[in-house]
Amino acid sequence: MTVGVCDASFTVHEGEIFVVMGLSGSGKSTLVRMLNRLIDPSAGEIIVNGSDIAAMSEKELMHFRRKHISMVFQSFALMPHLSVVQNAAFGLELDGVPAAQREERARAALAQVGLEARGDSYPNELSGGMQQRVGLARALANDPSILLMDEAFSALDPLIRTEMQDELVTLQEEQQRTVIFISHDLDEAMRIGDRIAIMEGGRVVQVGTPDEILNNPADDYVASFFRGVNVSNVLTAGDVAVREQVTTVERDGQIRSILQRIGKADRDYAYVLDRRKHFHGVVSAASLEEQVKSGKPELRHAFLPGIEPLKADTRIGEIIGAVAAAPCGLPVVDDDGRYLGVVSRALLLQALDRETAQDA
């Protein structure tokens, strides 16, 4: 007997993109096909909203598949004699949806993937990327809460593949489906996955966010996957920010005290916040001294111009230019503008050099 999947136990959160990856033969495609019982598990449970898919009758399973779950395969699996809109509506037709209603839903799904103008075309008139978009639209037409994608983009050219990844992430931001995405491509997993499960020999070796797995691999097998990975596409500003800089709450008449704090801490800059930790600006020893000499010192007039805070979820590959050009470390804030720390040139270089970062 060849074991396909063994002792695989994990939880997928509602509304996340959960990527399952591993080498060929690791069991990832077998795993995803068990989630909708294209392959029946020999033991175990598959629980969705309290219902065990593994225990459903054929009739119950058919109803569940049509109402709650759709799948996108690596092969486009389009029927050449049907138009694009007919292909997108095929699942609805099998479900007995009236013709006018299924065409309306199919065209709406095509619009979601940018193919609203190609509904009357045929598959052989479309590029590979467009054909895969039709396959995705066919899955979306059922309005599933769960979307299974088995190596869905691996047959596409690199540029089209990247476009489809962007398309999936955009759709996810708008609709918040639960997506289980099978991939053997680490860059793809890092780019789209909220969490990643690594499989080896039919077993789930580790589950975590890209950052968690990158920094704390469970074993040498997992570490080998991430060796040489471009961390600029994985780590964010929030991941590398530190709170070792001088911070102060904005109040009148405190310029001299800030100068003293900067001097004692052997720093050149201070980061000004309000009482709720919202970032307001950056001051330097030089800009504070200028205000003291002015005779009418005001802290807000000492703010350095052009210092824009970084959003915590910005990939560090996107902030290199800004950090390099700034006179000081750039502040990092959350979605509400609250200060999380500072990213300096030294921190950024350390983050980009994984060996240095691991030794530190």
Side-chain angles (χ1 to χ4, degrees), residues 57-67 95:
S57 67
E58 286 296 322
K59 184 177 180 180
E60 291 172 330
L61 179 61
M62 188 70 67
H63 176 78
F64 178 83
R65 286 173 177 168
R66 289 178 176 176
K67 298 299 181 183
D95 202 24

Side-chain angles (χ1 to χ4, degrees), residues 8 52 54 60 64 124 155 158 165 173 179 187 201 204 233 269 288 305 311 326-327 342:
D52 183 6
E60 291 172 330
F64 178 83
N124 64 357
Q165 292 165 4
E173 289 174 353
V179 179
D187 287 335
V204 176
N233 292 326
Y269 302 93
L288 292 169
K311 287 292 187 68
V342 171

Side-chain angles (χ1 to χ4, degrees), residues 255-256 259 283-295 297 302:
I255 289 181
R256 292 184 185 277
L259 272 169
V283 295
S284 67
S287 70
L288 292 169
E289 287 170 355
E290 283 185 14
Q291 283 300 301
V292 171
K293 292 175 182 177
S294 72

Side-chain angles (χ1 to χ4, degrees), residues 91-348:
L92 299 174
E93 183 179 357
L94 292 179
D95 202 24
V97 176
Q101 184 180 346
R102 66 175 181 254
E103 179 172 344
E104 180 182 357
R105 288 171 59 178
R107 290 191 182 276
L110 289 170
Q112 291 178 45
V113 298
L115 288 179
E116 60 269 37
R118 303 304 297 267
D120 297 322
S121 301
Y122 284 84
N124 64 357
E125 299 175 304
L126 305 181
S127 67
M130 287 181 176
Q131 290 183 44
Q132 189 60 291
R133 286 172 188 262
V134 177
L136 180 55
R138 180 174 55 198
L140 295 175
N142 285 336
D143 194 23
S145 57
I146 301 170
L147 191 60
L148 307 179
M149 305 185 74
D150 186 13
E151 302 267 14
F153 304 150
S154 62
L156 303 175
D157 293 335
L159 182 59
I160 299 173
R161 186 173 187 171
T162 299
E163 290 176 354
M164 288 299 297
Q165 292 165 4
D166 290 341
E167 190 77 40
L168 177 63
V169 172
T170 300
L171 284 170
Q172 185 67 359
E173 289 174 353
E174 295 171 352
Q175 301 174 0
Q176 290 294 297
R177 287 184 170 86
T178 300
V179 179
I180 300 175
F181 192 102
I182 306 302
S183 179
H184 64 268
D185 186 314
L186 180 60
D187 287 335
E188 181 172 66
M190 291 289 200
R191 196 160 189 264
I192 68 173
D194 296 307
R195 289 190 303 144
I196 300 172
I198 308 292
M199 293 193 69
E200 179 189 21
R203 290 176 169 82
V204 176
V205 181
Q206 186 172 4
V207 177
T209 66
D211 184 36
E212 289 169 349
I213 298 177
L214 176 67
N215 291 314
N216 298 291
D219 55 24
D220 291 340
Y221 173 77
V222 177
S224 67
F225 262 103
F226 289 79
R227 193 168 294 124
V229 67
N230 183 0
V231 297
S232 67
N233 292 326
V234 180
L235 298 179
T236 64
D239 293 329
V240 300
V242 298
R243 294 194 178 199
E244 296 176 355
Q245 298 295 326
V246 175
T247 60
T248 184
V249 175
E250 187 171 5
R251 292 188 298 270
D252 292 334
Q254 64 175 145
I255 289 181
R256 292 184 185 277
S257 66
I258 299 174
L259 272 169
Q260 290 178 350
R261 289 186 61 204
I262 290 175
K264 287 182 180 179
D266 193 24
R267 301 288 183 180
D268 295 316
Y269 302 93
Y271 296 79
V272 182
L273 318 175
D274 64 20
R275 285 182 172 81
R276 294 188 176 183
K277 303 299 184 183
H278 293 105
F279 171 75
H280 281 240
V282 181
V283 295
S284 67
S287 70
L288 292 169
E289 287 170 355
E290 283 185 14
Q291 283 300 301
V292 171
K293 292 175 182 177
S294 72
K296 294 182 179 180
E298 290 188 43
L299 186 58
R300 61 188 177 88
H301 290 158
F303 288 172
L304 301 182
I307 304 297
E308 295 293 333
L310 305 170
K311 287 292 187 68
D313 59 358
T314 306
R315 304 290 184 189
I316 62 173
E318 301 173 22
I319 67 174
I320 294 173
V323 173
C328 59
L330 290 180
V332 179
V333 298
D334 63 16
D335 289 339
D336 295 322
R338 291 188 179 88
Y339 173 84
L340 300 176
V342 171
V343 176
S344 65
R345 295 187 189 94
L347 281 170
L348 192 58

